[in-house]
Every structure is written in structure tokens, then in C-alpha cells.
Amino acid sequence: MLSVAIVGPGLVGEALIKMIHDYSQSLRAITVPIQLVAITNSRKMIFGDSSPINPNEWKSIISSDKAQPADIPAFIKQLAQKHVPGKTAIIDCTSNESIANNYLEWLNLGFNVITPNKKAFSGSIDLWNQLRAFRTKQGAPLILHEATVGAGLPVLSTLNNLVDSGDKIIKVEGILSGTLSFLFCEFSNGTLNGKPFSEIVKIAKANGFTEPDPRDDLSGLDVARKATILARISGANIELDQLALENIVPEPLRPTPTADEFMSKLPEFDDHFSALNKAAYEKGEVLRYVASIDIENKDYRVELKSFPKSHPFASLSPGDNIISFKTKYFPNPLTIQGAGAGAEVTSFGIFCDILKTAEVSK
Ligand SMILES: NC(=O)C1=CN([C@@H]2O[C@H](COP(=O)(O)OP(=O)(O)OC[C@H]3O[C@@H](n4cnc5c(N)ncnc54)[C@H](OP(=O)(O)O)[C@@H]3O)[C@@H](O)[C@H]2O)C=CC1
Ligand SMILES: N[C@@H](CC=O)C(=O)O
Ligand code: NA
């Protein structure tokens, strides 16, 4: 039985709770059982007592007087008192850096750690190396983060398999942001008659594609974080700031203090984005925000480029990611494509990591 504790039952975390519930009704759950034992958001935390938390009731419990004030050290302490760490997975569904800074401590206590949060893996190379070392320690807990790149698409498991099998990664490239894929596929879909850019950003947010703060998407930082993770797994020990990053947020909008103010000022820049779109259109091309991780030539960049309509990036469906690995084994690149953001596909990626952990800790 794997016990699961969720930190951050937001958009993705809530979809994950539903998935755990759906799984508990399946036949597979009889041989590989998973139970939900604790949840904390930034305000309150709850624990299952003698029985697991009923995934249909967590919202009413967390807003009842059964909930305790949220406190991460106390959350971990109670978890360790009630459950065997090696048979427990802590799932960080926040985008919070200070939560991510706890992973080493949690792993050292013996807990498995699973997360879609990119902050730790794109943080300092020193932290990356310490976290990565758990992969090769005999009997160590697992640290899995498939959903940090390409949401539920099997991107990291594929790349890890290539690296583990002795393949040599030459170049990784693709469209790594669901939000920017949605924006530019909708916006530059071969016509000039689409919605204004700011309207499409609002729809991407409503679809659950954006980061909690959409400025992280539009600045290119979220893509740069994913590219850093891909580069590091591919063998390049780079820091985030070693990537050339093109920030597409117009200069005057950058100092905007809050995400809400940013969203309300964005329509003032619709003409700026229309002009970029028109310039590409007049060349018979479309805009796409792409990552290129050239391991062989040590060149790492994330940028807005235009592509002819015959290019595979041009025919992508809005919101999809596409990632190709050019390697010694795959000189004709191995390519993965599909939905790259959204609560369900992301929680699917997390759930696959939970299942792997449940199999190992059986
Ligand atoms: N949306 C997508 O398609 C994808 C998202 N991701 C990643 O998934 C993660 C979650 O995103 P999303 O669900 O949209 O985020 P949300 O903002 O919807 O949810 C964040 C959750 O984290 C909680 N939280 C924040 N700070 C703390 C804290 N200090 N202690 C405990 N809980 C805290 C929030 O609680 P409260 O309500 O109390 O503030 C909330 O429950 C992010 O890291 C994102 O990058 C990855 C791949 C795809
Ligand atoms: N905001 C991100 C969500 C997944 O990481 C994206 O748009 O790709
Ligand atoms: Na993935």
C-alpha cells in the first residue's frame, strides 16, 4: 500500500485527488493499492485518522474545524509518525520554491517525492546533483518529476531511458509550453482574423494551461526551466541563466507588480503582437516559441521564431507540445507530441509516477 500526501490541492492537485479516487475503483488497485492520507494547502492541513481521506470529502474536511493550521514541518512530522516513509509519497503540487527546497530533507527522511513543480530541478546545479544522486543510491526513495516537462507526455521517462541505455544525446528541440503553443497556434493559425492576443491569453488561463502567474509563461522563464531540466538530464551541467532567453513581454509591461494588473494591461499591447504575427504571415510563416538544446555544440536557447507552414511545428494543434530527441541511436529524431498542459494531463503524469512508486514500494 502506497500512502500519498498532497501539498497544494490547487488546479492540478485537485485533478490528482479525483484521479486517485477513480483509480481506487479499478481492478489494478487491488494488487497495487494507493491511499490518500494527508493534504495541505497554504492555510490548512488535514490527515486521515484510522482510515484514509475520502477523496470526495477533502474539501469539506479542510474547511471544517478538523483541519489544523498549515505548517510544513508539522505536516512532515505527523506524516512520519503515522506512516512508513518508504511506503509514502509526498506530492508537491505547488509552484513554490521554498516548498521545493524541502525535497532533500524529505528524501533523507526516507519519503518518496513526486512533483510537477520545476523550481528545484531548474534551481542551482548543486541542488540538481544532490537530488539526481538519489537515482543511483541503493535502496533510496524515489524522486520523480515527469510532469515538469511536457505535463503527462512521457518526455523525461523517455530521455532517462535513452541516457540510462548509453545513448548519446545530440540535440533536443521542440515546443515545451502548452500556453505558448495555444497562444501562437490560435493567434498565427494562417489567417489574420483571429482573436486579439490578450483574449487568447485569458482563454489559456481559463483552460488551466498557464502557470499560477501567467507572466512566468510569457516571459519564457517556464520554458527555460523545462529546457534546463532537459539539458541537465542530457548531460549538460548548466545553470538556468546560461540559456539564451527571449522574453516576449514588451518592456513597458515587465515591471507590472501583480499578475492581475499584468492581465488588465495586456490588451494595450495587442497591436504589438498583431504586428509580429503580420510580419510572419507576410513571409508565409507562423510564429512559434521554441526551445533548442544543442548538446553537441553547447548552445541552449528559448526563443520566438517563425516557421514555414510545411514545418511540423506549424501544424501543431493549439496547446500541444512537440519534443524531438536527436541521438546516436536516433539520428532521425525520436519525437513525442500531444497535449502539453492542463489539469488532467498534468495529473496523469504525476499519477504515472505515483504508480511507479507504488509498484516499487509494494
Ligand atoms: N497547469 C499545467 O498544465 C501544469 C502545471 N504544472 C505545475 O503544477 C504545479 C501546480 O500548478 P497549479 O495547480 O496550476 O497551481 P495552483 O495555483 O492552482 O495551486 C497551487 C496550490 O499550492 C498551494 N500552495 C501554495 N503555496 C503553498 C505553501 N507554501 N504550502 C502549502 N501549499 C501551498 C495553494 O494553496 P492555497 O490555495 O492555500 O494558496 C494551492 O493549493 C505548478 O508547479 C505548475 O508549474 C506542471 C505541468 C503542467
Ligand atoms: N504553464 C505551463 C504548464 C506546464 O508546465 C505550460 O503552459 O506549459
Ligand atoms: Na512529461
Side-chain angles (χ1 to χ4, degrees), residues 198-220:
S198 59
E199 276 301 308
I200 312 174
V201 177
K202 271 192 212 152
I203 301 170
K205 193 169 186 308
N207 286 353
F209 296 165
T210 66
E211 290 304 292
D213 184 341
R215 290 175 295 181
D216 287 347
D217 297 291
L218 292 181
S219 66

PDB file of all heavy atoms in Angstrom, residues 198-220:
ATOM      1  N   SER A 198      -4.401  39.274 -26.252  1.00  0.00           N
ATOM      2  CA  SER A 198      -4.737  39.288 -24.810  1.00  0.00           C
ATOM      3  C   SER A 198      -5.956  38.397 -24.524  1.00  0.00           C
ATOM      4  O   SER A 198      -6.047  37.796 -23.455  1.00  0.00           O
ATOM      5  CB  SER A 198      -5.003  40.711 -24.335  1.00  0.00           C
ATOM      6  OG  SER A 198      -6.068  41.270 -25.074  1.00  0.00           O
ATOM      7  N   GLU A 199      -6.874  38.307 -25.492  1.00  0.00           N
ATOM      8  CA  GLU A 199      -8.057  37.446 -25.314  1.00  0.00           C
ATOM      9  C   GLU A 199      -7.627  35.977 -25.262  1.00  0.00           C
ATOM     10  O   GLU A 199      -8.146  35.177 -24.484  1.00  0.00           O
ATOM     11  CB  GLU A 199      -9.015  37.615 -26.511  1.00  0.00           C
ATOM     12  CG  GLU A 199      -9.952  38.784 -26.400  1.00  0.00           C
ATOM     13  CD  GLU A 199     -10.818  38.685 -25.154  1.00  0.00           C
ATOM     14  OE1 GLU A 199     -11.448  37.640 -24.952  1.00  0.00           O
ATOM     15  OE2 GLU A 199     -10.828  39.659 -24.374  1.00  0.00           O
ATOM     16  N   ILE A 200      -6.667  35.631 -26.114  1.00  0.00           N
ATOM     17  CA  ILE A 200      -6.217  34.224 -26.175  1.00  0.00           C
ATOM     18  C   ILE A 200      -5.465  33.876 -24.881  1.00  0.00           C
ATOM     19  O   ILE A 200      -5.577  32.763 -24.376  1.00  0.00           O
ATOM     20  CB  ILE A 200      -5.354  33.948 -27.429  1.00  0.00           C
ATOM     21  CG1 ILE A 200      -6.039  34.518 -28.679  1.00  0.00           C
ATOM     22  CG2 ILE A 200      -5.162  32.447 -27.620  1.00  0.00           C
ATOM     23  CD1 ILE A 200      -5.201  34.412 -29.944  1.00  0.00           C
ATOM     24  N   VAL A 201      -4.721  34.850 -24.338  1.00  0.00           N
ATOM     25  CA  VAL A 201      -4.036  34.592 -23.055  1.00  0.00           C
ATOM     26  C   VAL A 201      -5.088  34.275 -21.978  1.00  0.00           C
ATOM     27  O   VAL A 201      -4.925  33.341 -21.192  1.00  0.00           O
ATOM     28  CB  VAL A 201      -3.163  35.794 -22.618  1.00  0.00           C
ATOM     29  CG1 VAL A 201      -2.530  35.537 -21.248  1.00  0.00           C
ATOM     30  CG2 VAL A 201      -2.064  36.069 -23.643  1.00  0.00           C
ATOM     31  N   LYS A 202      -6.181  35.034 -21.977  1.00  0.00           N
ATOM     32  CA  LYS A 202      -7.250  34.798 -20.980  1.00  0.00           C
ATOM     33  C   LYS A 202      -7.825  33.391 -21.133  1.00  0.00           C
ATOM     34  O   LYS A 202      -8.095  32.702 -20.148  1.00  0.00           O
ATOM     35  CB  LYS A 202      -8.390  35.817 -21.179  1.00  0.00           C
ATOM     36  CG  LYS A 202      -8.199  37.076 -20.400  1.00  0.00           C
ATOM     37  CD  LYS A 202      -9.497  37.878 -20.414  1.00  0.00           C
ATOM     38  CE  LYS A 202      -9.191  39.357 -20.380  1.00  0.00           C
ATOM     39  NZ  LYS A 202     -10.207  40.190 -21.006  1.00  0.00           N
ATOM     40  N   ILE A 203      -8.018  32.959 -22.380  1.00  0.00           N
ATOM     41  CA  ILE A 203      -8.585  31.614 -22.606  1.00  0.00           C
ATOM     42  C   ILE A 203      -7.591  30.547 -22.134  1.00  0.00           C
ATOM     43  O   ILE A 203      -7.970  29.573 -21.493  1.00  0.00           O
ATOM     44  CB  ILE A 203      -8.954  31.403 -24.099  1.00  0.00           C
ATOM     45  CG1 ILE A 203      -9.974  32.446 -24.544  1.00  0.00           C
ATOM     46  CG2 ILE A 203      -9.515  29.990 -24.331  1.00  0.00           C
ATOM     47  CD1 ILE A 203     -10.231  32.476 -26.053  1.00  0.00           C
ATOM     48  N   ALA A 204      -6.297  30.768 -22.415  1.00  0.00           N
ATOM     49  CA  ALA A 204      -5.266  29.796 -21.975  1.00  0.00           C
ATOM     50  C   ALA A 204      -5.290  29.672 -20.455  1.00  0.00           C
ATOM     51  O   ALA A 204      -5.173  28.572 -19.897  1.00  0.00           O
ATOM     52  CB  ALA A 204      -3.889  30.243 -22.452  1.00  0.00           C
ATOM     53  N   LYS A 205      -5.483  30.802 -19.783  1.00  0.00           N
ATOM     54  CA  LYS A 205      -5.529  30.786 -18.305  1.00  0.00           C
ATOM     55  C   LYS A 205      -6.778  30.024 -17.849  1.00  0.00           C
ATOM     56  O   LYS A 205      -6.700  29.159 -16.959  1.00  0.00           O
ATOM     57  CB  LYS A 205      -5.542  32.229 -17.797  1.00  0.00           C
ATOM     58  CG  LYS A 205      -5.286  32.356 -16.308  1.00  0.00           C
ATOM     59  CD  LYS A 205      -5.053  33.835 -15.967  1.00  0.00           C
ATOM     60  CE  LYS A 205      -4.630  34.038 -14.512  1.00  0.00           C
ATOM     61  NZ  LYS A 205      -5.487  33.430 -13.535  1.00  0.00           N
ATOM     62  N   ALA A 206      -7.912  30.340 -18.484  1.00  0.00           N
ATOM     63  CA  ALA A 206      -9.173  29.665 -18.106  1.00  0.00           C
ATOM     64  C   ALA A 206      -9.102  28.157 -18.378  1.00  0.00           C
ATOM     65  O   ALA A 206      -9.720  27.362 -17.669  1.00  0.00           O
ATOM     66  CB  ALA A 206     -10.338  30.291 -18.871  1.00  0.00           C
ATOM     67  N   ASN A 207      -8.331  27.758 -19.394  1.00  0.00           N
ATOM     68  CA  ASN A 207      -8.174  26.321 -19.711  1.00  0.00           C
ATOM     69  C   ASN A 207      -7.233  25.608 -18.738  1.00  0.00           C
ATOM     70  O   ASN A 207      -7.038  24.401 -18.841  1.00  0.00           O
ATOM     71  CB  ASN A 207      -7.589  26.138 -21.119  1.00  0.00           C
ATOM     72  CG  ASN A 207      -8.598  26.427 -22.206  1.00  0.00           C
ATOM     73  OD1 ASN A 207      -9.773  26.638 -21.933  1.00  0.00           O
ATOM     74  ND2 ASN A 207      -8.144  26.462 -23.445  1.00  0.00           N
ATOM     75  N   GLY A 208      -6.587  26.370 -17.837  1.00  0.00           N
ATOM     76  CA  GLY A 208      -5.668  25.755 -16.869  1.00  0.00           C
ATOM     77  C   GLY A 208      -4.292  25.478 -17.452  1.00  0.00           C
ATOM     78  O   GLY A 208      -3.548  24.649 -16.931  1.00  0.00           O
ATOM     79  N   PHE A 209      -3.947  26.174 -18.566  1.00  0.00           N
ATOM     80  CA  PHE A 209      -2.644  25.929 -19.191  1.00  0.00           C
ATOM     81  C   PHE A 209      -1.532  26.767 -18.547  1.00  0.00           C
ATOM     82  O   PHE A 209      -0.383  26.336 -18.506  1.00  0.00           O
ATOM     83  CB  PHE A 209      -2.670  26.282 -20.691  1.00  0.00           C
ATOM     84  CG  PHE A 209      -3.588  25.431 -21.524  1.00  0.00           C
ATOM     85  CD1 PHE A 209      -3.949  25.833 -22.812  1.00  0.00           C
ATOM     86  CD2 PHE A 209      -4.087  24.228 -21.053  1.00  0.00           C
ATOM     87  CE1 PHE A 209      -4.785  25.056 -23.600  1.00  0.00           C
ATOM     88  CE2 PHE A 209      -4.930  23.444 -21.835  1.00  0.00           C
ATOM     89  CZ  PHE A 209      -5.283  23.860 -23.111  1.00  0.00           C
ATOM     90  N   THR A 210      -1.883  27.962 -18.096  1.00  0.00           N
ATOM     91  CA  THR A 210      -0.826  28.880 -17.643  1.00  0.00           C
ATOM     92  C   THR A 210      -0.308  28.484 -16.270  1.00  0.00           C
ATOM     93  O   THR A 210      -0.940  27.718 -15.536  1.00  0.00           O
ATOM     94  CB  THR A 210      -1.342  30.331 -17.554  1.00  0.00           C
ATOM     95  OG1 THR A 210      -2.326  30.402 -16.523  1.00  0.00           O
ATOM     96  CG2 THR A 210      -1.935  30.824 -18.856  1.00  0.00           C
ATOM     97  N   GLU A 211       0.841  29.044 -15.932  1.00  0.00           N
ATOM     98  CA  GLU A 211       1.335  28.953 -14.556  1.00  0.00           C
ATOM     99  C   GLU A 211       0.382  29.762 -13.668  1.00  0.00           C
ATOM    100  O   GLU A 211      -0.364  30.615 -14.165  1.00  0.00           O
ATOM    101  CB  GLU A 211       2.751  29.545 -14.483  1.00  0.00           C
ATOM    102  CG  GLU A 211       3.796  28.703 -15.168  1.00  0.00           C
ATOM    103  CD  GLU A 211       3.813  27.281 -14.607  1.00  0.00           C
ATOM    104  OE1 GLU A 211       4.189  27.092 -13.451  1.00  0.00           O
ATOM    105  OE2 GLU A 211       3.435  26.348 -15.340  1.00  0.00           O
ATOM    106  N   PRO A 212       0.421  29.495 -12.337  1.00  0.00           N
ATOM    107  CA  PRO A 212      -0.389  30.328 -11.445  1.00  0.00           C
ATOM    108  C   PRO A 212      -0.201  31.825 -11.756  1.00  0.00           C
ATOM    109  O   PRO A 212      -1.146  32.596 -11.717  1.00  0.00           O
ATOM    110  CB  PRO A 212       0.124  29.947 -10.051  1.00  0.00           C
ATOM    111  CG  PRO A 212       0.590  28.510 -10.215  1.00  0.00           C
ATOM    112  CD  PRO A 212       1.135  28.422 -11.606  1.00  0.00           C
ATOM    113  N   ASP A 213       1.013  32.232 -12.134  1.00  0.00           N
ATOM    114  CA  ASP A 213       1.269  33.596 -12.598  1.00  0.00           C
ATOM    115  C   ASP A 213       1.633  33.530 -14.085  1.00  0.00           C
ATOM    116  O   ASP A 213       2.735  33.107 -14.441  1.00  0.00           O
ATOM    117  CB  ASP A 213       2.424  34.217 -11.795  1.00  0.00           C
ATOM    118  CG  ASP A 213       2.659  35.664 -12.189  1.00  0.00           C
ATOM    119  OD1 ASP A 213       2.212  36.081 -13.269  1.00  0.00           O
ATOM    120  OD2 ASP A 213       3.300  36.374 -11.384  1.00  0.00           O
ATOM    121  N   PRO A 214       0.707  33.948 -14.994  1.00  0.00           N
ATOM    122  CA  PRO A 214       0.950  33.778 -16.440  1.00  0.00           C
ATOM    123  C   PRO A 214       2.172  34.531 -16.952  1.00  0.00           C
ATOM    124  O   PRO A 214       2.657  34.257 -18.053  1.00  0.00           O
ATOM    125  CB  PRO A 214      -0.319  34.332 -17.098  1.00  0.00           C
ATOM    126  CG  PRO A 214      -1.245  34.714 -16.019  1.00  0.00           C
ATOM    127  CD  PRO A 214      -0.575  34.589 -14.692  1.00  0.00           C
ATOM    128  N   ARG A 215       2.699  35.462 -16.153  1.00  0.00           N
ATOM    129  CA  ARG A 215       3.921  36.148 -16.586  1.00  0.00           C
ATOM    130  C   ARG A 215       5.078  35.158 -16.699  1.00  0.00           C
ATOM    131  O   ARG A 215       5.992  35.359 -17.489  1.00  0.00           O
ATOM    132  CB  ARG A 215       4.292  37.268 -15.590  1.00  0.00           C
ATOM    133  CG  ARG A 215       3.300  38.419 -15.658  1.00  0.00           C
ATOM    134  CD  ARG A 215       3.595  39.454 -14.612  1.00  0.00           C
ATOM    135  NE  ARG A 215       3.399  38.917 -13.263  1.00  0.00           N
ATOM    136  CZ  ARG A 215       3.565  39.631 -12.154  1.00  0.00           C
ATOM    137  NH1 ARG A 215       3.943  40.891 -12.230  1.00  0.00           N
ATOM    138  NH2 ARG A 215       3.350  39.091 -10.971  1.00  0.00           N
ATOM    139  N   ASP A 216       5.034  34.080 -15.902  1.00  0.00           N
ATOM    140  CA  ASP A 216       6.097  33.063 -15.990  1.00  0.00           C
ATOM    141  C   ASP A 216       6.089  32.394 -17.364  1.00  0.00           C
ATOM    142  O   ASP A 216       7.133  31.946 -17.847  1.00  0.00           O
ATOM    143  CB  ASP A 216       5.920  31.983 -14.910  1.00  0.00           C
ATOM    144  CG  ASP A 216       6.287  32.489 -13.529  1.00  0.00           C
ATOM    145  OD1 ASP A 216       6.903  33.571 -13.439  1.00  0.00           O
ATOM    146  OD2 ASP A 216       5.939  31.817 -12.541  1.00  0.00           O
ATOM    147  N   ASP A 217       4.904  32.279 -17.983  1.00  0.00           N
ATOM    148  CA  ASP A 217       4.819  31.677 -19.318  1.00  0.00           C
ATOM    149  C   ASP A 217       5.299  32.659 -20.382  1.00  0.00           C
ATOM    150  O   ASP A 217       6.145  32.335 -21.206  1.00  0.00           O
ATOM    151  CB  ASP A 217       3.368  31.269 -19.621  1.00  0.00           C
ATOM    152  CG  ASP A 217       2.860  30.211 -18.658  1.00  0.00           C
ATOM    153  OD1 ASP A 217       3.345  29.076 -18.734  1.00  0.00           O
ATOM    154  OD2 ASP A 217       1.996  30.518 -17.816  1.00  0.00           O
ATOM    155  N   LEU A 218       4.724  33.888 -20.336  1.00  0.00           N
ATOM    156  CA  LEU A 218       5.009  34.843 -21.416  1.00  0.00           C
ATOM    157  C   LEU A 218       6.452  35.336 -21.385  1.00  0.00           C
ATOM    158  O   LEU A 218       6.993  35.728 -22.417  1.00  0.00           O
ATOM    159  CB  LEU A 218       4.041  36.028 -21.341  1.00  0.00           C
ATOM    160  CG  LEU A 218       2.588  35.692 -21.666  1.00  0.00           C
ATOM    161  CD1 LEU A 218       1.712  36.924 -21.597  1.00  0.00           C
ATOM    162  CD2 LEU A 218       2.463  35.073 -23.044  1.00  0.00           C
ATOM    163  N   SER A 219       7.071  35.315 -20.228  1.00  0.00           N
ATOM    164  CA  SER A 219       8.473  35.775 -20.149  1.00  0.00           C
ATOM    165  C   SER A 219       9.428  34.734 -20.731  1.00  0.00           C
ATOM    166  O   SER A 219      10.613  35.018 -20.910  1.00  0.00           O
ATOM    167  CB  SER A 219       8.862  36.033 -18.693  1.00  0.00           C
ATOM    168  OG  SER A 219       8.864  34.803 -17.995  1.00  0.00           O
ATOM    169  N   GLY A 220       8.934  33.519 -20.973  1.00  0.00           N
ATOM    170  CA  GLY A 220       9.815  32.448 -21.469  1.00  0.00           C
ATOM    171  C   GLY A 220      10.495  31.694 -20.330  1.00  0.00           C
ATOM    172  O   GLY A 220      11.147  30.655 -20.551  1.00  0.00           O
TER     173      GLY A 220
END
